[in-house]
């Protein structure tokens, strides 16, 4: 009987401690504004997720150094989606069940964001992506935003670049038969046909790693340029195998291939001279300051990935929306539709679809690095290219 009484006393004491700990944790969480983040922090797309996290952490550090949002500090809670839709949905569930989070930044891959978006819309949680470019996201719902321009603008930019800067009239399209490639290829196809001819147009499967046969067929059609929307792993293999097969014409990829890993995997020689569409970054003092702060914070001589700047702006506009509408999904959502924010990536203003009107830039691999190319989509402002 005495043993039972001792057990009950110990159990009660442990219960009280547990309650006190719970209260302290709740109090601690209530003293912070928590922002959810879903991105590929490991696996195939880790470079995207790492860039996202770097930009977000820079924004948080900056805001907290100023005293937070109205005296309340900011903190991000991260979940890894491994670039997989199933993992993204699971990550969303973890965030909304474990915390009272009104807004989530994510994800990188369009297919993951598209998987999360219907759930976020149903549960009225604001979702804002700093990377996903699929055109399908436009109609995802009132709570869904992105601060990057859509794929149809990216495809148009690539087509204009090929026709007006490279001065090429015959193009081949080799695209990944999945969300990204199959969404981006049609816009390039549509715009390029207005002034050029597509002599080769084929897709490849997501698991494909040997492109030698398809490159042999492509070569026989004698294209003057190849548009290859895919991720950096695919594009690296295509470039490497194309150069080995003697295909020396220019290749142009999309933002999905914009990673230093592309150069590492393809090899500097194979990647040299290839081109990539990427979200635009203005030349400004704010950008230079961001770059300097980035290098200092992360103790690196490397410049930040463009995705880091867009993730930084995503967090900063969320901060502005909390200041304006309060820390609630409804308040944040309503504020986002009315805010005009001048960020490091330029003017940020959402339309009625949660979309932004921002340009794409062109980068080329030069001397083993991505280098911004100075060109103008106006054909009269580009001199003929000898490339």
């Amino acid at each position: 009987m005495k043993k039972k009484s001792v057990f009950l006393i110990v159990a009660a004491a442990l219960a009280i401690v547990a309650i006190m700990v719970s209260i302290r944790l709740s109090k601690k969480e209530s003293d912070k504004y928590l922002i959810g983040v879903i991105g590929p922090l490991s696996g195939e797309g880790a470079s995207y997720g790492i860039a996202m996290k770097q930009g977000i952490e820079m924004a948080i550090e900056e805001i907290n150094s100023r005293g937070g949002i109205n005296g309340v500090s900011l903190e991000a809670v991260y979940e890894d989606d491994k670039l997989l839709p199933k993992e993204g949905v699971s990550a969303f569930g973890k965030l909304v069940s474990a915390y009272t989070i009104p807004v989530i930044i994510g994800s990188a891959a369009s297919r993951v964001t598209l998987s999360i978006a219907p759930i976020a819309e149903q549960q009225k949680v604001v979702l804002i992506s700093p990377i996903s470019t699929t055109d399908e996201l436009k109609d995802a719902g009132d709570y869904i935003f992105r601060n990057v321009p859509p794929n149809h603008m990216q495809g148009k930019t690539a087509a204009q670049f090929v026709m007006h800067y490279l001065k090429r009239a015959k193009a081949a399209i080799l695209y990944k038969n999945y969300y990204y490639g199959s969404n981006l290829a049609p816009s390039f196809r549509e715009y390029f046909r207005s002034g050029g001819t597509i002599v080769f147009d084929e897709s490849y499967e997501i698991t494909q790693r040997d492109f030698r046969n398809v490159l042999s067929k492509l070569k026989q059609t004698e294209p003057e340029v190849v548009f290859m929307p895919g991720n950096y792993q695919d594009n690296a293999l295509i470039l490497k195998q194309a150069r080995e097969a003697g295909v020396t014409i220019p290749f142009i990829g999309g933002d999905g291939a914009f990673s230093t890993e592309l150069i590492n995997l393809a090899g500097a020689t194979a990647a040299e001279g290839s081109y990539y569409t990427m979200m635009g970054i203005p030349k400004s003092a704010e950008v230079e300051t961001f770059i300097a702060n980035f290098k200092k914070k992360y103790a690196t001589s490397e410049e930040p990935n463009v995705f880091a700047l867009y993730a930084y702006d995503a967090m900063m506009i969320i901060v502005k929306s909390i200041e304006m509408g309060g820390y609630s999904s409804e308040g944040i959502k309503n504020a986002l539709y009315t805010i005009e924010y001048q960020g490091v990536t330029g003017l940020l203003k959402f339309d009625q679809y949660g979309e932004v009107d921002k340009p794409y830039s062109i980068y080329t691999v030069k001397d083993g690095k991505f280098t911004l190319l100075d060109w103008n989509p106006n054909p009269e402002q580009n001199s003929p290219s000898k490339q």
Side-chain angles (χ1 to χ4, degrees):
M1 189 70 179
K2 187 181 285 187
K3 287 183 179 179
K4 184 176 181 181
S5 298
V6 172
F7 174 78
L8 289 173
I9 292 170
V10 172
L14 289 173
I16 292 170
V17 170
I19 291 170
M20 291 177 68
V21 169
S22 176
I23 291 171
R24 285 200 299 271
L25 287 174
S26 297
K27 179 73 166 60
K28 182 181 178 183
E29 288 178 3
S30 68
D31 289 341
K32 294 181 180 179
Y33 287 141
L34 300 180
I35 310 298
V37 182
I38 298 174
L41 301 174
S42 66
E44 181 181 329
S47 67
Y48 308 135
I50 290 169
M52 277 178 61
K53 187 173 182 180
Q54 288 173 330
I56 289 167
E57 288 300 313
M58 284 191 66
I60 290 174
E61 184 177 279
E62 182 179 329
I63 294 301
N64 287 342
S65 69
R66 298 177 190 168
I69 305 173
N70 301 322
V72 180
S73 63
L74 194 65
E75 182 179 325
V77 182
Y78 295 91
E79 287 291 339
D80 184 7
D81 64 32
K82 301 179 178 65
L83 215 66
L84 299 171
K86 183 178 178 181
E87 294 290 339
V89 171
S90 175
F92 179 89
K94 289 177 184 177
L95 287 173
V96 297
S97 62
Y99 310 94
T100 305
I101 289 182
V103 57
I104 292 174
I105 298 175
S107 177
S110 291
R111 64 184 183 272
V112 178
T113 306
L114 285 172
S115 298
I116 301 169
I119 309 170
E121 181 69 16
Q122 183 183 39
Q123 298 193 23
K124 297 184 177 180
V125 174
V126 175
L127 180 69
I128 177 169
S129 175
I131 298 181
S132 297
T133 55
T134 177
D135 292 323
E136 296 176 57
L137 204 60
K138 177 182 177 181
D139 299 311
D142 290 340
Y143 288 81
I144 314 303
F145 300 79
R146 62 168 157 206
N147 60 315
V148 289
N151 273 343
H152 73 268
M153 291 303 298
Q154 184 169 192
K156 180 180 180 179
T157 300
Q160 290 176 325
F161 174 73
V162 170
M163 290 187 291
H164 304 321
Y165 184 89
L166 294 182
K167 310 291 186 183
R168 305 300 167 103
K170 295 194 299 180
I173 303 176
L174 181 58
Y175 65 98
K176 190 170 188 171
N177 188 21
Y178 207 42
Y179 286 93
Y180 181 76
S182 59
N183 186 254
L184 186 48
S187 59
F188 177 87
R189 191 181 293 126
E190 175 188 352
Y191 289 108
F192 189 78
R193 281 175 173 164
S194 67
T197 303
I198 295 172
V199 296
F200 182 90
D201 194 345
E202 285 195 16
S203 65
Y204 59 88
E205 297 307 311
I206 59 174
T207 57
Q208 190 165 335
R209 293 294 178 267
D210 188 342
F211 297 93
R212 284 171 292 189
N213 286 338
V214 70
L215 285 168
S216 177
K217 289 168 57 181
L218 180 151
K219 187 177 180 181
Q220 291 173 17
T221 64
E222 299 182 345
E224 297 172 331
V225 65
V226 180
F227 182 56
M228 52 169 188
N231 63 25
Y232 60 84
Q233 291 96 336
D234 303 332
N235 280 191
L237 288 171
I238 290 170
L239 286 170
K240 187 175 183 180
Q241 293 172 24
R243 301 319 184 200
E244 290 171 350
V247 181
T248 59
I249 57 177
F251 279 70
I252 178 168
D255 66 297
F258 196 88
S259 170
T260 54
E261 284 301 303
L262 175 135
I263 302 169
N264 294 335
L265 293 170
T269 301
E272 186 76 8
S274 56
Y275 301 96
Y276 303 88
T277 50
M278 189 61 183
M279 300 87 172
I281 300 294
K283 293 180 180 179
S284 67
E286 289 78 13
V287 171
E288 293 304 317
T289 299
F290 179 93
I291 293 172
N293 291 341
F294 179 94
K295 290 180 176 179
K296 182 178 179 181
K297 177 175 174 60
Y298 296 107
T300 180
S301 60
E302 295 291 323
E303 294 203 352
N305 188 304
V306 173
F307 296 134
L309 283 84
Y310 275 83
Y312 171 89
D313 269 358
M315 178 59 82
M316 293 301 281
I317 199 168
I318 287 171
V319 169
K320 298 295 181 184
S321 68
I322 293 172
E323 290 174 342
M324 181 175 173
Y327 185 64
S328 71
S329 56
E330 193 69 17
I332 293 169
K333 179 200 74 171
N334 292 338
L336 285 173
Y337 281 116
T338 60
I339 289 175
E340 289 190 23
Y341 170 64
Q342 189 66 42
V344 292
T345 63
L347 180 64
L348 193 54
K349 180 182 178 182
F350 295 107
D351 64 16
Q352 68 269 34
Y353 301 102
E355 301 272 271
V356 294
D357 182 12
K358 296 175 77 67
Y360 275 92
S361 296
I362 299 290
Y363 284 78
T364 185
V365 176
K366 183 178 180 181
D367 299 327
K369 294 181 178 180
F370 285 102
T371 303
L372 180 64
L373 196 66
D374 185 15
W375 81 289
N376 194 304
N378 184 341
E380 296 179 359
Q381 308 237 349
N382 290 297
S383 58
S385 172
K386 296 180 180 179
Q387 300 181 56

